Amino acid sequence: MDLSRWCGFAVSLWAGVSVLAAATTNAPPDDAPSVVPGHSLHGEAFNEGPRQPAYLMKGMPDIRFPVTTTNELAQKFFTQGVGQLHGFWYLEAERSFRQAAVHDTNCAMAYWGSAMANIDDAARSAGFIKEAVERKASVSHREQLWIEALAEFRKDPKKDEKERHRDLTRALENIVYEFPDDIEAKAFLAVHIWQSAGKGLPISSAQAIESLLKEIFAAQPMHPAHHYRIHLWDGENDPAAVRALPSAARAGQSGPGIAHLWHMPGHTFNKLKRYEDMAWQQEASVRVDNAQIMRDRLLPDQIHNYAHNSEWLAQTLNYVGRVRDAVALTLNMIEMPRHPKLNALDLKEDGTPYASDGNTASHGRLRLMETLLRYELWDDAIALGASFYLEPTGIGIEQARRARLLGVARFARTNLVEGRAQIAALEAAAKVVRTARAASVDAAETKARTDKKSDEETKKAMTAALESHAEDLKRLDEWTAELRVLESLAEGKTDGLTNQLAGLKSVSKERLSLVWLALGQNDQAEKLAKEAVEGGTNQVQLLANHADVLWRCGKTNEAKEAFAKLRERSAYVDLDMPVFRRLAPLAAESKLPDDWRVAAVKRDDTGDRPDLAALGPFRWAPVAAPDFTLPTADGKTVSLRDYRGRPVLVVFYLGHGCLHCLEQLNALAPAVADFKAAGVELLAVSADSVAALGKTQAQAKAAGGFPFPLVADASREVFRRYRAYDGFEEVPLHGLFLVDGDGLVRWQDIGHEPFKEVKFLVAEAKRQLFQIGDKAKLPRRLTASATP
């Protein structure tokens, strides 16, 4: 990577024309670097980094970090980047630091900032800090200390990790010593000590770091270091979490435009079992993320922590009884665009899964199935199981979770045939997992033998491979046994079920309590219902189940006491859920109204909270595709509005001289029939001139050229509108956009390489367009939430 050229990118755009020509022809000018079209001029590391310029965002932390520059915008973007670092918003931080360098290419601290934004990428971080070192002679002594500290940290990658972190701690302590009023030095020292705990340097005194943080807040009460205090005490025992409460009330407010700062107080409230407050924090986080995704035209999983924020919110909504909101949120996660690099769900052509863990697709389905099961929404589960929301997948454990839910639902509705079909599906899923386990064991043995490992080492490798699937197989066996029990109950056969129930460790205690109750085993039902409450403190569904079980066991006084505890936390429960509906007789016995919920009491330790709606939307929605009218080679024009009512895949390619673009167009051409079968037309937008469109057609493999229109965007204005453009280097990027009949972008890909996974794209286009009609067929209760 030639980082030495990066410093001058703002002023050496090759007269604006040469770089663009280099990006679209096979004959770049003599003074232009040799670069593959769409790739960064500054090296491969920049291909995946921020390509669109930064802007001054609303809601960034109010901090002070003056650096040597005469350019006001350079200082503003640098300060914004530091605030984003405090929110662990590294992609946007690097974007801000790059923008600072646009305004002042000699701002040494802009390169320090970029190195900090890549603190977990040693190679990129080292390259950036090298640039800062080359400019440090012109900056203040204070800035030199910052640069030297990080440069020394990156100097020798072979140096012991613990030593490097210990040395950086000392260097930051030295900055604090020499400049005791430097709030940022104290903040970065505090977080570095906490982060070093993961590098083998355990925190010997959390209270010592707390004292450092108190100095920061004494000088600047709303500093985003509140984020660090929450992390600090979150790592201690649960009672210690209360020490982070002052920061839980201020972290989000210290930088309301950064989702992670709203997310973090949720950790504190989670440890304190204050789920109403936890839900508020997570919802704020998700809303801020949604606002940015829709504003900046990003895919959801491009946002750090987005999937986790959303799934944790769904889980917490379950805890407080906002079931319809949880369902609506998880359905939204499933609706979102999928991308093979980000959040695909299913198998590739070779039978291996895409990366499907920890993204919106997998988390959405997991939390949806969890919600439906927890709240006994059997009819909803059956309806969704027949829709794209819970479509079958080829992934063993994921498919098994679906089969288990649908099996429970079918047996609850006494549909024995369909219930047994799900038992068969579970057994098939177990077979898939067992096959995968056998393949893992064989692969481990082969590798060990190839590497000439000893027999003992080979045996350990094989055992590890065997154990890697053990937990999944245990769950699969228990889920199958659970459905067998429910099958017997549905048939009215109860002999021997008590022995079978005793072995179901993967089934929640509150669900088992209902099965024991159905068998007339009241003592066991009460015991399990009580244990569920004790293991899930303050969760309303568990409290409701406990009250219900006690009531049905004839223990009226105990049921009323349990009901009273539930009502203390009932402000947000959806009363139409089965577990709450069953409490109607108990409410009547207690002489309570049909709506027996108690209004929430606002606590005085949560800080000044803004209106959630002002932070952003509760759910993501596709944004409008910018309209355009562009010329064709034969003198006509094509407009996006011409396709209104007809979905269209818009392909942005870099011109006839881009070999990778031609590969993409020639890969798409044979699939035109598949796209048309899905109701999708194709349109290609070139960065070439109109005169050069014929040169693209001449390189089509099919006779007669490409079977879709080509239009020219020589000014790159449309490329810019779609953000298929590197605004730092002023060069177009590859882009693909699926626009539905209403003119909304349903899927996109922007990058240094053109997207060529045509089979995946056809399937995703079908999924995106099918879901529009499929969603309309579902009951309104499933697609509407209480929260706008």
Side-chain angles (χ1 to χ4, degrees):
M1 177 176 65
D2 186 5
L3 284 168
S4 64
R5 290 205 308 265
W6 183 71
C7 63
F9 71 88
V11 293
S12 59
L13 295 179
W14 312 103
V17 177
S18 300
V19 167
L20 294 177
T24 56
T25 69
N26 283 327
D30 293 338
D31 60 344
S34 177
V35 175
V36 176
H39 288 231
S40 172
L41 297 168
H42 311 300
E44 293 300 302
F46 287 90
N47 290 332
E48 298 291 349
R51 304 295 293 265
Q52 290 80 22
Y55 58 91
L56 294 174
M57 294 179 163
K58 295 180 181 179
M60 295 299 102
D62 181 16
I63 60 174
R64 306 287 183 272
F65 199 137
V67 295
T68 301
T69 181
T70 58
N71 187 289
E72 183 179 354
L73 280 175
Q75 177 65 67
K76 286 183 177 180
F77 278 106
F78 175 83
T79 303
Q80 175 170 279
V82 174
Q84 290 163 338
L85 285 179
H86 286 315
F88 292 176
W89 206 11
Y90 295 120
L91 178 65
E92 290 306 320
E94 182 180 343
R95 194 191 311 277
S96 293
F97 292 128
R98 285 196 72 176
Q99 197 67 40
V102 166
H103 295 290
D104 183 352
T105 58
N106 290 314
C107 178
M109 289 298 284
Y111 302 89
W112 169 88
S114 291
M116 288 290 291
N118 287 276
I119 200 68
D120 291 326
D121 188 331
R124 292 194 78 205
S125 183
F128 282 124
I129 200 62
K130 177 177 179 291
E131 294 294 323
V133 169
E134 291 181 2
R135 291 162 178 77
K136 75 172 187 174
S138 62
V139 303
S140 67
H141 174 58
R142 170 179 151 275
E143 293 166 79
Q144 288 177 352
L145 291 177
W146 279 103
I147 292 170
E148 289 165 359
L150 191 53
E152 184 62 29
F153 180 73
R154 288 296 179 208
K155 184 178 179 180
D156 182 7
K158 296 181 180 180
K159 188 175 180 179
D160 180 74
E161 187 82 351
K162 288 195 293 185
E163 284 188 37
R164 291 196 306 115
H165 279 266
R166 187 180 292 112
D167 289 347
L168 181 54
T169 298
R170 290 167 178 162
L172 291 171
E173 287 175 335
N174 185 53
I175 298 174
V176 172
Y177 177 78
E178 288 202 40
F179 298 92
D181 295 329
D182 190 336
I183 297 299
E184 296 311 303
K186 294 177 182 179
F188 282 110
L189 172 59
V191 71
H192 177 69
I193 295 173
W194 170 74
Q195 289 173 328
S196 295
K199 306 297 181 180
L201 291 172
I203 298 172
S204 58
S205 172
Q207 191 59 42
I209 303 175
E210 170 70 15
S211 298
L212 185 63
L213 290 167
K214 284 182 177 178
E215 290 184 27
I216 296 171
F217 302 138
Q220 196 171 340
M222 292 303 292
H223 194 281
H226 287 294
H227 174 194
Y228 306 148
R229 177 189 265 165
I230 294 170
H231 271 301
L232 174 66
W233 294 113
D234 191 49
E236 301 296 315
N237 55 45
D238 284 7
V242 72
R243 302 179 193 180
L245 264 179
S247 287
R250 294 175 177 84
Q253 291 85 337
S254 72
I258 300 178
H260 193 64
L261 293 180
W262 289 114
H263 164 92
M264 281 308 302
H267 284 255
T268 299
F269 293 124
N270 180 46
K271 283 210 162 189
L272 298 176
K273 313 303 181 188
R274 288 174 50 175
Y275 296 123
E276 295 89 348
D277 291 316
M278 179 184 172
W280 193 98
Q281 297 292 158
Q282 296 312 118
E283 185 173 337
S285 174
V286 168
R287 285 177 179 270
V288 170
D289 269 341
N290 284 339
Q292 194 223 348
I293 290 168
M294 296 164 69
R295 180 180 65 242
D296 294 342
R297 296 178 174 273
L298 300 172
L299 291 176
D301 285 85
Q302 287 180 275
I303 298 292
H304 167 69
N305 233 35
Y306 179 83
H308 173 50
N309 291 345
S310 298
E311 64 90 12
W312 211 19
L313 172 58
Q315 184 182 52
T316 313
L317 293 175
N318 273 319
Y319 292 168
V320 300
R322 289 173 56 187
V323 185
R324 290 300 173 203
D325 282 345
V327 170
L329 180 67
T330 54
L331 293 181
N332 189 228
M333 294 171 71
I334 296 168
E335 293 166 356
M336 290 174 181
R338 294 181 189 168
H339 193 287
K341 290 184 179 179
L342 298 171
N343 63 342
L345 181 70
D346 218 325
L347 301 180
K348 297 180 182 178
E349 290 184 49
D350 63 3
T352 60
Y354 287 105
S356 60
D357 291 331
N359 57 47
T360 53
S362 61
H363 273 322
R365 284 174 60 106
L366 172 65
R367 293 305 181 202
L368 174 59
M369 289 188 275
E370 178 183 87
T371 302
L372 297 172
L373 186 67
R374 176 190 289 262
Y375 280 97
E376 306 166 49
L377 299 177
W378 311 134
D379 293 334
D380 292 349
I382 292 168
L384 290 167
S387 76
F388 76 93
Y389 287 107
L390 288 180
E391 61 190 339
T393 68
I395 302 171
I397 193 65
E398 216 275 346
Q399 181 73 358
R401 188 175 286 111
R402 174 183 182 273
R404 183 236 189 154
L405 168 67
L406 295 180
V408 172
R410 291 297 188 178
F411 285 127
R413 292 294 178 255
T414 325
N415 189 326
L416 298 178
V417 173
E418 292 295 335
R420 288 165 183 156
Q422 299 309 320
I423 291 176
L426 265 177
E427 292 171 340
K431 185 177 180 180
V432 170
V433 175
R434 286 189 170 88
T435 299
R437 179 179 65 173
S440 296
V441 172
D442 289 344
E445 181 181 20
T446 300
K447 188 177 186 307
R449 299 300 185 197
T450 302
D451 295 343
K452 298 182 179 179
K453 299 291 185 180
S454 66
D455 289 344
E456 184 176 348
E457 290 174 317
T458 301
K459 185 178 180 180
K460 285 183 179 179
M462 293 171 65
T463 300
L466 192 68
E467 291 176 350
S468 66
H469 297 275
E471 188 61 34
D472 282 346
L473 286 171
K474 180 181 177 183
R475 281 191 293 174
L476 286 167
D477 289 342
E478 289 201 9
W479 290 347
T480 304
E482 175 190 11
L483 292 193
R484 293 290 187 193
V485 168
L486 297 179
E487 178 187 25
S488 297
L489 280 175
E491 292 177 306
K493 300 176 181 178
T494 59
D495 291 345
L497 289 189
T498 55
N499 292 333
Q500 294 180 50
L501 283 174
L504 298 181
K505 305 299 183 183
S506 296
V507 181
S508 66
K509 291 182 177 181
E510 71 274 14
R511 291 199 60 246
L512 284 176
S513 71
L514 297 180
V515 179
W516 284 106
L517 195 63
L519 293 174
Q521 301 287 331
N522 290 0
D523 290 345
Q524 184 67 4
E526 287 181 42
K527 175 177 178 292
L528 289 171
K530 181 181 179 181
E531 288 177 357
V533 168
E534 293 170 346
T537 306
N538 295 341
Q539 295 179 30
V540 295
Q541 179 253 346
L542 304 181
L543 290 166
N545 181 71
H546 188 212
D548 173 44
V549 169
L550 288 169
W551 172 257
R552 287 200 273 170
C553 287
K555 298 194 173 181
T556 304
N557 291 334
E558 292 93 328
K560 287 182 176 180
E561 290 176 8
F563 190 27
K565 292 179 182 178
L566 165 65
R567 293 188 70 224
E568 291 173 4
R569 307 191 176 278
S570 64
Y572 303 103
V573 303
D574 291 335
L575 289 174
D576 61 334
M577 295 298 108
V579 68
F580 301 127
R581 286 203 310 266
R582 288 199 293 268
L583 296 177
L586 179 54
E589 172 70 20
S590 303
K591 296 182 171 50
L592 294 171
D594 291 342
D595 187 347
W596 42 261
R597 294 174 296 185
V598 176
V601 177
K602 186 183 183 305
R603 296 175 182 262
D604 59 5
D605 60 357
T606 58
D608 295 326
R609 287 177 166 175
D611 178 11
L612 282 170
L615 295 176
F618 180 67
R619 285 180 282 190
W620 169 89
V623 297
D627 195 19
F628 59 82
T629 299
L630 294 171
T632 63
D634 58 5
K636 298 179 181 178
T637 61
V638 175
S639 298
L640 183 64
R641 72 179 74 93
D642 296 339
Y643 292 88
R644 187 53 64 98
R646 297 175 294 157
V648 58
L649 182 68
V650 184
V651 185
F652 286 82
Y653 75 100
L654 306 185
H656 72 280
C658 174
L659 298 179
H660 290 179
C661 294
L662 295 172
E663 290 174 359
Q664 180 192 45
L665 294 177
N666 279 304
L668 289 169
V672 165
D674 294 327
F675 281 111
K676 283 189 176 180
V680 180
E681 300 188 43
L682 273 73
L683 171 65
V685 179
S686 173
D688 268 340
S689 65
V690 173
L693 291 178
K695 296 181 180 179
T696 297
Q697 287 286 17
Q699 297 182 74
K701 291 182 179 180
F706 292 105
F708 40 79
L710 306 182
V711 294
D713 179 32
S715 69
R716 283 79 174 183
E717 178 56 32
V718 180
F719 274 81
R720 288 185 180 89
R721 286 186 217 164
Y722 280 76
R723 291 173 62 86
Y725 197 80
D726 186 325
F728 291 115
E729 302 179 30
E730 294 293 331
V731 292
L733 300 171
H734 306 276
L736 265 179
F737 301 86
L738 175 66
V739 182
D740 69 18
D742 293 324
L744 302 177
V745 178
R746 290 281 172 175
W747 185 92
Q748 70 181 48
D749 177 82
I750 301 172
H752 63 287
E753 287 284 349
F755 188 87
K756 299 175 188 174
E757 294 195 40
V758 178
K759 185 175 180 180
F760 177 92
L761 187 54
V762 170
E764 178 62 10
K766 289 179 179 178
R767 190 183 77 87
Q768 283 294 325
L769 299 175
F770 173 72
Q771 72 185 27
I772 299 172
D774 205 28
K775 183 177 179 180
K777 299 175 185 176
L778 292 172
R780 175 64 178 164
R781 68 177 183 272
L782 281 172
T783 56
S785 70
T787 298

